[in-house]
Amino acid sequence: GGVRVRPPAVKAHQGLSVVDLVAGGFGGACQLAVGHPFDTIKVKLQSMPAPVAGQKPLYTGPMDAVRQTIAAEGPGGLYRGVLPPLATVVVFNAALFETRQRMEHLLSPDGAPLTVPQQFLSGAGAGVVASLIACPTELVKCKLQADGAAYKGTLDCMQKTLRAEGPLGLARGMPPTLAREVPGNALMFGLYGAMKTSMARHYGCEEGELGPGPLILAGGLAGSAFWGAIYPADIIKSKIQVDSPTNPQFRGMVDAFVKVQRAEGIGGLYRGFAPCMARAFPANAACFLGFEVVKNLLS
């Protein structure tokens, strides 16, 4: 009986762009609502200057950064820089999920379920497209989070960057962005697909019939694997994006990697790791759950 239901599945694949667009956007909004305060603290810890010998660092840890931020800016300070990702979260997640869907159709034109290696490959393809959107929007977000006083807002930050560096200024940090998004999304979508398949088999149901519990578990673990695996690339991206264009500290991705490791040891490549991992599970669980719920409603 399994063969007879395949052709409609192919039709569904071809017509999914609007569904994936809306579902991906909603998933992204859920992810942002849960995850942005963690992200603000992560960037503050990542981009604070290395402490001078004998002086204590600007922030002693994640909770200290939260306390100082709320004391200086109120609770809204934790949502500083939320507009660039909010404005693009729909586009970013739509592009990510929609590209993954297109990769699925490309790798399996007959609509057969993807193998695990194909799941990883489709995630990697989605990561390339995601990087093109993530790099300029995160550049603006990192600048606002690291030094909010220097800019009046999102547009002001973009204008100043374009004036100082030209259009390529918004692409600063593209190599580490690709180094994060391509392997990271391969791992995330690969694991998410494998876990859904395995849990559907365990519960004796179709993947589309899985309840919120298994989807939260799969999405949260897949997102945690993404960040756990590629975190140093994200550190290097933040460092390069908030670096001075006129008097740069780093010549590029490899130079930044070597200098950070030499100055701060391996720990320097994992600064802000705790708030990032604390955010990874709930934010990605919210994203995948939001995506699946809306996709099921619209399909």
Side-chain angles (χ1 to χ4, degrees):
V3 181
R4 284 202 299 275
V5 299
R6 289 289 175 229
V10 180
K11 287 285 177 285
H13 279 183
Q14 289 164 337
L16 268 179
S17 56
V18 178
V19 172
D20 278 331
L21 193 92
V22 177
F26 183 76
C30 294
Q31 181 184 49
L32 197 64
V34 172
H36 192 78
F38 291 98
D39 191 59
T40 299
I41 297 306
K42 171 179 76 92
V43 171
K44 281 182 183 284
L45 290 169
Q46 283 180 347
S47 57
M48 72 176 174
V52 183
Q55 284 187 337
K56 80 184 188 82
L58 181 61
Y59 306 114
T60 54
M63 288 315 294
D64 182 48
V66 171
R67 271 195 300 272
Q68 286 195 42
T69 302
I70 291 175
E73 308 174 50
L78 295 173
Y79 279 91
R80 182 187 277 283
V82 78
L83 277 181
L86 183 63
T88 52
V89 76
V90 175
V91 181
F92 177 84
N93 279 277
L96 185 68
F97 283 96
E98 216 270 341
T99 306
R100 203 215 71 86
Q101 189 64 46
R102 282 176 191 275
M103 289 289 294
E104 183 173 328
H105 188 58
L106 193 73
L107 294 167
S108 172
D110 62 349
L114 295 187
T115 62
V116 172
Q118 285 176 324
Q119 296 269 19
F120 278 85
L121 194 57
S122 66
V128 175
V129 175
S131 299
L132 301 175
I133 300 165
C135 184
T137 56
E138 291 191 15
L139 177 93
V140 173
K141 176 177 72 73
C142 282
K143 280 176 179 280
L144 287 170
Q145 285 175 324
D147 187 14
Y151 307 104
K152 289 201 284 282
T154 304
L155 276 175
D156 183 50
C157 181
M158 285 177 78
Q159 281 166 344
K160 284 182 176 162
T161 303
L162 286 168
R163 206 173 296 141
E165 303 175 62
L168 280 180
L170 291 174
R172 182 174 341 148
M174 185 60 84
T177 304
L178 284 162
R180 181 190 76 182
E181 291 293 325
V182 176
N185 279 298
L187 188 61
M188 182 171 77
F189 282 108
L191 283 177
Y192 183 68
M195 282 189 281
K196 273 176 68 181
T197 303
S198 152
M199 287 193 282
R201 200 175 298 135
H202 173 75
Y203 289 116
C205 66
E206 294 293 314
E207 284 182 29
E209 295 166 353
L210 286 169
L215 294 176
I216 286 170
L217 185 64
L221 288 174
S224 300
F226 176 113
W227 286 104
I230 55 69
Y231 193 77
D234 188 60
I235 281 268
I236 297 307
K237 180 196 73 70
S238 290
K239 293 264 187 203
I240 287 173
Q241 290 189 326
V242 298
D243 199 9
S244 157
T246 45
N247 184 21
Q249 204 182 335
F250 308 112
R251 287 197 308 276
M253 180 165 82
V254 177
D255 183 51
F257 190 87
V258 171
K259 281 181 178 163
V260 171
Q261 211 260 321
R262 198 176 291 152
E264 305 176 51
I266 287 293
L269 294 168
Y270 283 91
R271 197 195 280 168
F273 189 60
C276 178
M277 292 310 289
R279 164 190 177 271
F281 191 99
N284 286 287
C287 179
F288 277 103
L289 181 64
F291 172 77
E292 297 281 5
V293 166
V294 172
K295 188 167 174 169
N296 281 343
L297 283 174
L298 296 178
S299 293

